[in-house]
Amino acid sequence: MAKLDAKKLHIATKAIHVGGHPDKETGAIMPPIYQTTTYAQASPGKHQGYEYSRCHNPTRTRLEECMASLENAKHGLVTASGLSATMLVMHALPEGSTILCGDDIYGGTYRMFTTVFHERHNFIFVDTTDLKTLKEKFEEHKPKAIWIETPTNPLLKITDIKKVTELAKKYKAMSFVDNTFMSPYFQKPLELGADVVMHSVTKFINGHSDVVGGAMMTNKTSFYKKVWTLQKSIGPTQSPFDSWLVLRGVKTLPIRMEAHQKNAMKVAMYLEAHADVESVVYPGLKSHPQHAIAKRQMSGFGGMITFFLKGDIKRSKKFLSKVKLFALAESLGGVESLIEHPAIMTHASVPKKVREEIGLKDNLIRLSVGIEHIDDLINDLDQAFKASKK
Ligand SMILES: *Cc1c(COP(=O)(O)O)cnc(C)c1O
């Protein structure tokens, strides 16, 4: 076989073939799991690029190549979890950096910034969808970096990546985008001007709820090298077996994302028409306040839906205990549908006062719509609405 020029391929082909090339030694179509700690050297210091698996592992290298190619990035680094990718980039920023940060972000990221890195950096939380206020914050604080998540978790607010990264460039601030919710199939932040994109590969990238992992991609070689050195020095690398599982899962990313969004659109429309629902937030709905930006910067709307149930927290709890197909669980992005209550579950680490300020109310329910048959999903929600009314 001759060598592929991956740059010319479509994302559906890259997801299968980049990093998925046949094994040189045996021709095995599936990549070997290099379950090894160390590598034999021909003479001291003379090796094939692999010395020790905390630093490099050939199975992980394949996944890094694949992740970089999906985001059209020069470099990709795969880490033990999404949060460890975030941790490494936070260490890579100079001590004492002022960082503007979205005010509605993944609860674990919020916890890391406010309880781990708050002594190293100065975080300023701001609604990154509000460009006017954001501009004022840039002017006032002259930050070193901006951290955005779009769509946000769980309110699904959309930040205009192009406009925000342009603003960041003007103030010489680095821009970071958590692209976990959209995956590179629907959104490519680097092409919209971001410096660094990160993922919890635990979610849509792997897609099968059987791995925890993370990744960060960038075109900035010096920043990549810094983060790689930090990974080597601190140690949050992914095991070869987990990298192998993600390599397998990511092959179907494009068809899974299509299926997620097809189902999510139908579920969102069903919810919007339901008498027991106060409101629905889904970027694909015309009622979404930033639907126009979503259409511009994303090529699809993803599988995540947030809705507000009519009634008090008791009704929400009852509804959540009556679903049969949707599993009541944290996490998202797997082929199976999940449902959760952010205020009690994923976002419990966000103080109640802050939750109320940003609109993360007690009747807010988050769905990760899977790829089951749509009728079964809607029937399940339907019976849970009825059963929770009694
Ligand atoms: C899950 C998640 C993370 C953290 O990733 P882990 O793999 O759980 O460490 C970060 N950002 C978003 C948007 C997530 O959903």
Side-chain angles (χ1 to χ4, degrees):
M1 277 175 85
K3 204 171 158 32
L4 266 177
D5 182 2
K7 283 208 177 74
K8 293 192 182 138
L9 302 174
H10 293 88
I11 190 163
T13 313
K14 287 183 188 177
I16 296 169
H17 290 283
V18 179
H21 49 278
D23 175 38
K24 257 195 206 137
E25 203 155 300
T26 62
I29 289 290
M30 286 303 125
I33 306 169
Y34 284 91
Q35 197 70 45
T36 185
T37 310
T38 190
Y39 306 82
Q41 305 198 0
S43 60
K46 197 162 172 258
H47 53 75
Q48 297 171 50
Y50 294 96
E51 296 163 87
Y52 188 63
S53 281
R54 181 174 3 90
C55 318
H56 284 305
N57 176 281
T59 314
R60 200 163 63 237
T61 305
R62 283 172 173 260
L63 179 58
E64 288 173 337
E65 284 168 12
C66 181
M67 287 303 300
S69 127
L70 297 182
E71 290 283 2
N72 290 334
K74 258 195 210 145
H75 308 286
L77 187 81
V78 167
T79 56
S81 63
L83 283 185
S84 51
T86 306
M87 183 261 292
L88 291 174
V89 302
M90 283 300 131
H91 275 299
L93 292 171
E95 191 167 351
S97 293
T98 293
I99 302 165
L100 292 185
C101 179
D103 63 359
D104 172 37
I105 54 171
Y106 175 67
T109 309
Y110 180 84
R111 181 175 55 214
M112 184 194 294
F113 291 173
T114 55
T115 68
V116 181
F117 280 101
H118 64 303
E119 286 175 351
R120 181 179 166 87
H121 300 310
N122 172 30
F123 293 94
I124 292 161
F125 293 93
V126 53
D127 179 355
T128 54
T129 66
D130 174 359
L131 286 170
K132 190 174 161 282
T133 308
L134 198 60
K135 217 176 263 178
E136 287 164 15
K137 296 279 177 191
F138 266 105
E139 193 54 45
E140 183 186 346
H141 299 285
K142 307 276 187 307
K144 276 265 186 308
I146 177 161
W147 181 276
I148 59 182
E149 210 178 285
T150 181
T152 58
N153 179 2
L155 292 164
L156 304 174
K157 290 192 285 187
I158 312 268
T159 294
D160 190 323
I161 301 178
K162 205 160 171 223
K163 292 217 171 102
V164 170
T165 55
E166 269 166 18
L167 199 58
K169 279 192 181 75
K170 209 174 121 196
Y171 286 90
K172 297 194 167 49
M174 271 189 90
S175 50
F176 296 84
V177 178
D178 181 338
N179 199 26
T180 301
F181 270 30
M182 278 303 112
S183 91
Y185 185 68
F186 283 144
Q187 177 170 275
K188 294 193 185 62
L190 297 180
E191 293 185 349
L192 295 165
D195 293 313
V196 178
V197 55
M198 65 78 54
H199 279 280
S200 167
V201 308
T202 313
K203 315 292 168 55
F204 289 103
I205 297 284
N206 180 53
H208 294 76
S209 304
D210 50 12
V211 167
V212 172
M216 80 105 211
M217 274 64 63
T218 183
N219 289 320
K220 293 204 154 14
T221 302
S222 62
F223 189 77
Y224 161 77
K225 282 187 177 157
K226 205 168 171 184
V227 178
W228 182 77
T229 304
L230 282 161
Q231 161 144 293
K232 176 169 118 166
S233 311
I234 300 173
T237 48
Q238 190 175 53
S239 77
F241 182 56
D242 282 357
S243 293
W244 184 85
L245 279 172
V246 181
L247 273 168
R248 181 163 84 153
V250 77
K251 285 178 197 286
T252 53
L253 176 75
I255 55 167
R256 279 189 286 111
M257 292 313 290
E258 293 288 355
H260 282 296
Q261 89 150 345
K262 205 168 147 212
N263 276 352
M265 193 67 210
K266 288 191 177 146
V267 170
M269 285 163 72
Y270 159 81
L271 290 172
E272 205 167 44
H274 202 288
D276 291 358
V277 174
E278 208 173 87
S279 62
V280 184
V281 190
Y282 180 65
L285 291 175
K286 287 203 178 73
S287 59
H288 190 289
Q290 292 110 16
H291 179 63
I293 306 172
K295 274 209 313 209
R296 200 160 62 229
Q297 72 182 12
M298 291 143 51
S299 56
F301 304 112
M304 302 302 296
I305 299 175
T306 286
F307 72 97
F308 296 89
L309 189 61
K310 276 189 191 155
D312 57 9
I313 190 156
K314 266 201 207 136
R315 170 90 201 267
S316 297
K317 279 190 180 163
K318 203 159 178 203
F319 179 82
L320 290 163
S321 60
K322 292 294 178 191
V323 284
K324 294 175 181 168
L325 195 54
F326 279 84
L328 177 59
E330 297 192 6
S331 197
L332 57 109
V335 290
E336 67 291 328
S337 292
L338 300 179
I339 191 164
E340 71 120 356
H341 190 272
I344 300 175
M345 295 165 69
T346 47
H347 290 65
S349 54
V350 178
K352 190 168 169 60
K353 190 173 163 283
V354 178
R355 288 204 306 265
E356 275 165 7
E357 275 166 21
I358 63 175
L360 207 165
K361 294 194 284 185
D362 284 347
N363 63 337
L364 185 159
I365 291 172
R366 188 185 80 179
L367 301 178
S368 172
V369 180
I371 65 171
E372 300 94 338
H373 195 286
I374 183 64
D375 295 348
D376 296 329
L377 294 178
I378 292 196
N379 287 342
D380 189 36
L381 294 172
D382 220 43
Q383 66 80 24
F385 275 120
K386 285 181 187 134
S388 62
K389 223 175 191 166
K390 287 175 198 144

